[in-house]
């Protein structure tokens, strides 16, 4: 009985931990439908978050690794891309390597929680 309880607890912990890091996003067509307004910058040095777009939601397991889903119901966050950095809550830079993904401005982390 104790082993079963321990195994269940470990499984729940793993699932919860994965869910806390998952960054599954949906791109909306209106800023009013968005949880976050983002602006894509041309340099990672200007970004709050360096983003690498992954091909599977299971690979969106660390900060900055985003999976764009086709359903808003599957997304953790809904984002709208604005045309000016001054209208953005979060400035992102799209990286070509998953190893570059991550926060550059940790004070903005609350936006993806």
């Amino acid at each position: 009985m104790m082993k079963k309880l321990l195994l269940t607890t470990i499984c729940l912990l793993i699932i919860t931990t994965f869910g806390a890091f998952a960054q599954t996003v949906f791109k909306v067509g209106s800023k009013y439908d968005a949880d976050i307004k983002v602006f894509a910058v041309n340099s990672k040095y200007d970004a709050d978050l360096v983003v690498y777009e992954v091909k599977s939601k299971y690979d969106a397991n660390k900060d900055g690794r985003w999976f764009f889903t086709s359903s808003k119901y599957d997304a953790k966050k809904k984002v709208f891309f604005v045309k000016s950095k001054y209208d953005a809550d979060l400035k992102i830079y799209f990286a070509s390597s998953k190893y570059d993904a991550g926060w550059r401005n940790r004070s903005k982390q609350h936006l993806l929680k």
Side-chain angles (χ1 to χ4, degrees):
M1 180 70 169
M2 192 63 135
K3 277 186 169 182
K4 188 174 182 180
L5 180 62
L6 182 62
L7 184 60
T8 303
T9 304
I10 290 171
C11 288
L12 286 174
L13 183 61
I14 290 169
I15 291 168
T16 305
T17 302
F18 176 75
F21 287 111
Q23 294 183 346
T24 306
V25 296
F26 178 75
K27 191 163 95 170
V28 296
S30 165
K31 68 180 178 180
Y32 302 107
D33 295 329
D35 297 319
I36 307 167
K37 295 178 296 233
V38 299
F39 179 74
V41 296
N42 294 324
S43 167
K44 73 177 180 180
Y45 302 105
D46 295 329
D48 298 316
L49 177 66
V50 177
V51 171
Y52 178 75
E53 186 177 348
V54 296
K55 304 291 184 213
S56 164
K57 68 180 178 180
Y58 302 108
D59 293 330
N61 56 1
K62 296 200 179 191
D63 288 339
R65 294 183 188 176
W66 283 12
F67 175 72
F68 286 91
T69 181
S70 57
S71 168
K72 69 180 177 181
Y73 302 107
D74 293 333
K76 182 175 178 187
K77 293 292 180 180
K78 296 177 293 227
V79 299
F80 177 73
F81 285 86
V82 295
K83 297 183 191 266
S84 168
K85 67 180 178 181
Y86 302 107
D87 294 330
D89 301 316
L90 184 68
K91 295 179 287 188
I92 64 170
Y93 173 77
F94 284 103
S96 57
S97 168
K98 68 181 178 182
Y99 302 107
D100 291 333
W103 288 102
R104 293 192 45 79
N105 180 355
R106 293 198 180 275
S107 70
K108 302 280 183 132
Q109 280 183 317
H110 69 279
L111 295 170
L112 293 179
K113 297 281 179 199

